[in-house]
Amino acid sequence: IERSFASPLDALYDDFSAPIAAASIAQVHKARLKTGEIVAVKVLRPRIEQIVAKEFRAFSRAARWLEAASKAARRLEPVIFVETLKATAAIELDLRMEAGAASSLAEGLEGNPAIRIPDIVWPLSSRRVLTMEWAEGVPISDIAALDATGADRKQLALAVIRIFLIQALHKGFFHADMHQGNLLVDAQGRLVLIDFGIMGRLDEKTRRVYAEILHG
């Protein structure tokens, strides 16, 4: 973080926690800005770019060997599959892309009272660091905690489906990783989306085809 912004940590944040969540390429901290605002700070792991590049070189070698050695494997196009994963990983390894995706999604869903997307703190976001508004809420996977809040699970299920379909079929830009770990329910009963590293796009023709299939 200090290398990204050329400043000591205590000049950037008033308070900064130990990691509160972690995944394969990054970890998240809870922090307080100089303004008093509570934020989430996502930081890429040290040398993760080099590690990922090394692993994809190995995957590519294996994919090429499979295509050469097996006709059945060739039909599955392992080389193209690995290249697709590699392109996706490159996007995930630049947190500016995630920040932009979150902002674009928030703009597209503005005015929808059933959803909340945390704001990005742009001055403290970079290729390796993402700072965003802290999202307080109950994880949608914690059924007991949801029931304790009085949340209507059937309505929540409908909200998840509707919000996804609005994104995918109406807007054509959607959160492509809406598993239970990335969904919270806040005190107002809104669905809170987090982690915008994997997004999807659908052109108008594809959206129409999917809509007709669902309608059928």
Side-chain angles (χ1 to χ4, degrees):
I1 294 171
E2 292 180 339
R3 280 199 299 270
S4 289
F5 302 112
S7 293
L9 196 68
D10 58 9
L12 302 169
Y13 305 95
D14 261 356
D15 189 42
F16 200 86
S17 77
I20 58 167
S24 53
I25 65 168
Q27 62 189 35
V28 178
H29 302 258
K30 188 175 184 178
R32 185 172 64 247
L33 301 182
K34 296 297 183 180
T35 60
E37 182 185 359
I38 304 299
V39 293
V41 185
K42 184 175 183 178
V43 189
L44 290 184
R45 295 187 178 284
R47 298 190 67 255
I48 190 64
E49 296 93 340
Q50 294 92 326
I51 293 167
V52 168
K54 181 180 177 181
E55 291 181 350
F56 271 113
R57 285 195 295 272
F59 289 149
S60 294
R61 283 195 299 272
R64 288 195 298 271
W65 179 85
L66 271 174
E67 283 204 2
S70 168
K71 186 177 289 186
R74 203 174 305 140
R75 289 177 57 239
L76 298 174
E77 299 182 318
V79 171
I80 292 175
F81 177 69
V82 169
E83 287 302 314
T84 301
L85 288 180
K86 186 177 177 181
T88 302
I91 292 170
E92 286 194 77
L93 287 169
D94 187 341
L95 297 182
R96 294 170 299 188
M97 301 293 286
E98 181 173 346
S103 292
S104 294
L105 194 65
E107 186 177 330
L109 295 173
E110 189 176 6
N112 189 321
I115 191 166
R116 179 187 167 208
I117 295 172
D119 291 331
I120 301 298
V121 181
W122 286 102
L124 289 175
S125 296
S126 67
R127 185 177 63 82
R128 304 195 89 255
V129 181
L130 172 60
T131 302
M132 65 193 312
E133 176 189 9
W134 180 259
E136 200 69 59
V138 176
I140 207 164
S141 57
D142 191 340
I143 302 299
L146 275 181
D147 288 345
T149 68
D152 185 327
R153 280 194 259 154
K154 288 186 177 181
Q155 288 303 311
L156 274 176
L158 282 172
V160 170
I161 296 298
R162 284 174 178 155
I163 286 166
F164 177 76
L165 292 176
I166 287 169
Q167 294 175 74
L169 299 187
H170 183 54
K171 303 296 182 179
F173 182 60
F174 61 96
H175 193 302
D177 201 19
M178 279 179 63
H179 61 74
Q180 65 270 28
N182 289 338
L183 299 173
L184 308 173
V185 180
D186 70 8
Q188 286 76 49
R190 295 174 298 183
L191 197 66
V192 182
L193 297 186
I194 57 174
D195 193 350
F196 305 90
I198 304 175
M199 306 296 290
R201 290 187 184 274
L202 295 174
D203 59 41
E204 185 175 352
K205 180 180 178 182
T206 305
R207 280 147 51 196
R208 285 184 178 277
V209 169
Y210 279 135
E212 288 168 2
I213 290 169
L214 288 174
H215 183 259

